Amino acid sequence: QIFEALNNIGEVVACLESVQDTIAAGVSPAEIAVLVSDESVYGPVIYKLAERMNLKANLAITKPLSGTSCGTWLELTGELIRNEYETAPFLSWLLHPVTQSWLSKKTHLTRSQVQRCLHELHAVCAQKNVSQVSLLSPEGFTGLHGSAALEPAFQWLRGVQARSHTLEEWRDVLNDYVAEFELLDHANEGSGVSLELAVKTAFENFDAAIAAYSQQFKANQKRLTTAEFWQLLRTHLLNQKVRGIGEPLAGVQVISIPEARLFPFHTVFILGASEGFFPKALPKDELLDDFLKRRLSLQGWQALEAREDLTFQLLRARIPDLRIYFSVERLQSTQNYSRYVEMLLAED
C-alpha cells in the first residue's frame, strides 16, 4: 500500500493514525514498526506527535544533542543570556520543562501551579506589551496565582549577565548550570538508560576537551564573549550525535530502515520513500570516481545500491503488511517518487 501526503508532517500524522487503527484491530504494538529514511527529519516530529496522541513508541534513532531536552534548554539559556532582559527568550526559558522542574523544587509548588503562574505571566506581558523583564515591577506579578514561583527565576536572571571569560571560567559556568538545574537528570526522555548515557558521555567528552585545552594553554588563554562561547558550545557539544535504543520490542518501534531487515514485524510503515532518501542519493566523491574505486577493490556505487535493494526486497518478502508513505514536498523542495514506489505502482 502506498500513501501520499503534502509534506513530512502530513506523512507522520497519517502514519501514526494508521498505527493506532492497526493496534485497535488487534495487532500487538511490538509487531509494528515505523521506519524512517531520514532520522533528523522524522525523529523530532514523531516524538512530539506520538506524545500528543498517547502512542507508546520506542524511538531508537540517532539525533543531535540539540534535539534533546538538555540541548533545547541550553539553546534557550544561551539566547536568554545573549538577549539580556528581553521578555520573549525569558518566557520561552521559563516554559521549558527543565526550568519548570527547577522552579517546582525551589518553591515546593506543584508543576501545575508553576505552569499556571507562568501562563498568567505570559498573558500579563502580552497585555502590557512588556518587552523587557526589567520593566516588570514587583506589583506586576505578585498578584499572580503562585507568584512565588517567579522569585527564583528573577533572582537567577539578576545573576546572569553577558560577559567575557576565559575558556576555563566558562567551563565552570556551564558546570554550575548543569548542577543547579540537574540538567543531566532530564536526559532520559523515555528512551531508556542508553540515551541518558549517550548524553552524559557527550557532556563529559566536551568537559574533558575544555579542561585539556585550558591546561595546555593556561598561560595564554583568550577571553571569550558570551556569543563566542555559545557558538563553541553549539558547534562542539550540541551537534554531537546521541542515540537511545529504549526497550527493544516494547511498544511501536521507530528505527532506521536498514535495522528492520531481519526483525519479524507484522506491519511496517516506511516514511520518506522519495528518491535520494530511500534509496539514498549516491555519494559524491571528488577524489575517486566509481571506476577507480572498483579497480582499487573499494566499495562503489553498485555495492551501495545492492545493499539498499536487498533491504527493500527483504522487507517486501518478509513483512505481511507493508505500507509506504511519500511526501510531495520536503523542506520546501519538490520530491520525486522512489524507484521502489514506481516499481510497485507499475506492478499494480
Side-chain angles (χ1 to χ4, degrees):
Q1 292 179 292
I2 300 171
F3 303 89
E4 186 175 300
L6 179 61
N7 52 39
N8 61 295
I9 296 178
E11 270 188 90
V12 175
V13 171
C15 172
L16 295 185
E17 288 177 349
S18 294
V19 168
Q20 288 183 321
D21 293 340
T22 303
I23 295 173
V27 179
S28 169
E31 295 182 324
I32 300 173
V34 177
L35 312 185
V36 295
S37 61
D38 190 326
E39 296 177 337
S40 62
V41 170
Y42 291 99
V45 181
I46 294 174
Y47 182 83
K48 291 185 180 298
L49 290 179
E51 191 175 33
R52 290 182 184 177
M53 297 169 70
N54 294 320
L55 179 64
K56 185 179 179 182
N58 179 46
L59 276 74
I61 56 179
T62 303
K63 58 183 173 181
L65 197 146
S66 59
T68 66
S69 182
C70 298
T72 54
W73 185 85
L74 282 173
E75 289 274 20
L76 290 172
T77 303
E79 185 179 358
L80 174 62
I81 296 174
R82 290 193 302 271
N83 301 284
E84 191 175 354
Y85 297 124
E86 288 189 11
T87 304
F90 180 59
L91 291 175
S92 298
W93 178 81
L94 282 175
L95 292 170
H96 193 279
V98 171
T99 309
Q100 291 188 26
S101 177
W102 174 72
L103 289 172
S104 181
K105 290 180 180 178
K106 282 283 186 181
T107 59
H108 305 291
L109 295 172
T110 64
R111 288 288 292 272
S112 60
Q113 288 175 314
V114 170
Q115 288 174 357
R116 180 177 174 183
C117 178
L118 297 182
H119 287 298
E120 288 186 13
L121 174 65
H122 192 285
V124 167
C125 292
Q127 182 181 4
K128 296 184 177 181
N129 196 25
V130 177
S131 60
Q132 288 187 306
V133 177
S134 57
L135 299 179
L136 266 180
S137 62
E139 294 78 15
F141 63 87
T142 50
L144 299 180
H145 177 81
S147 59
L150 295 175
E151 188 53 37
F154 278 91
Q155 286 181 358
W156 186 83
L157 181 64
R158 285 192 285 268
V160 174
Q161 295 178 356
R163 63 190 76 179
S164 63
H165 292 301
T166 64
L167 193 56
E168 189 172 11
E169 291 169 343
W170 273 119
R171 177 192 174 211
D172 293 336
V173 169
L174 177 62
N175 287 335
D176 287 343
Y177 290 168
V178 171
E180 171 68 19
F181 289 86
E182 300 177 341
L183 190 58
L184 296 182
D185 291 345
H186 297 268
N188 191 307
E189 297 185 356
S191 294
V193 177
S194 56
L195 180 61
E196 182 178 351
L197 181 60
V199 171
K200 288 181 178 179
T201 300
F203 271 89
E204 289 170 0
N205 291 342
F206 181 73
D207 182 73
I210 291 180
Y213 182 89
S214 301
Q215 185 65 30
Q216 187 172 359
F217 299 98
K218 194 168 186 178
N220 188 25
Q221 282 200 42
K222 176 187 174 183
R223 299 186 73 83
L224 302 177
T225 65
T226 301
E228 289 172 333
F229 176 73
W230 241 262
Q231 182 59 41
L232 179 73
L233 191 77
R234 186 177 293 110
T235 303
H236 295 283
L237 176 62
L238 298 181
N239 279 344
Q240 289 193 45
K241 301 295 184 182
V242 294
R243 187 176 192 271
I245 61 172
E247 299 179 23
L249 301 183
V252 177
Q253 299 297 297
V254 182
I255 56 181
S256 65
I257 293 174
E259 290 178 302
R261 293 193 300 178
L262 301 177
F263 280 98
F265 294 116
H266 178 275
T267 304
V268 166
F269 301 83
I270 297 179
L271 293 176
S274 54
E275 199 67 26
F277 293 93
F278 182 58
K280 294 187 180 299
L282 294 174
K284 296 180 180 179
D285 196 324
E286 304 293 340
L287 298 178
L288 292 175
D289 66 12
D290 186 57
F291 174 76
L292 288 176
K293 281 185 176 180
R294 286 186 281 112
R295 294 288 290 180
L296 294 170
S297 299
L298 299 175
Q299 282 195 350
W301 295 345
Q302 287 182 339
L304 297 175
E305 289 181 322
R307 190 180 305 139
E308 292 208 304
D309 288 346
L310 176 61
T311 297
F312 176 71
Q313 294 300 338
L314 283 172
L315 289 173
R316 188 182 180 191
R318 295 170 61 91
I319 305 300
D321 185 5
L322 182 62
R323 310 181 195 184
I324 300 175
Y325 288 78
F326 165 83
S327 58
V328 178
E329 294 182 357
R330 179 184 295 196
L331 302 178
Q332 298 180 342
S333 62
T334 304
Q335 301 295 303
N336 296 318
Y337 281 134
S338 161
R339 67 170 181 267
Y340 301 140
V341 173
E342 291 181 341
M343 179 178 67
L344 294 173
L345 290 173
E347 290 177 357
D348 292 340

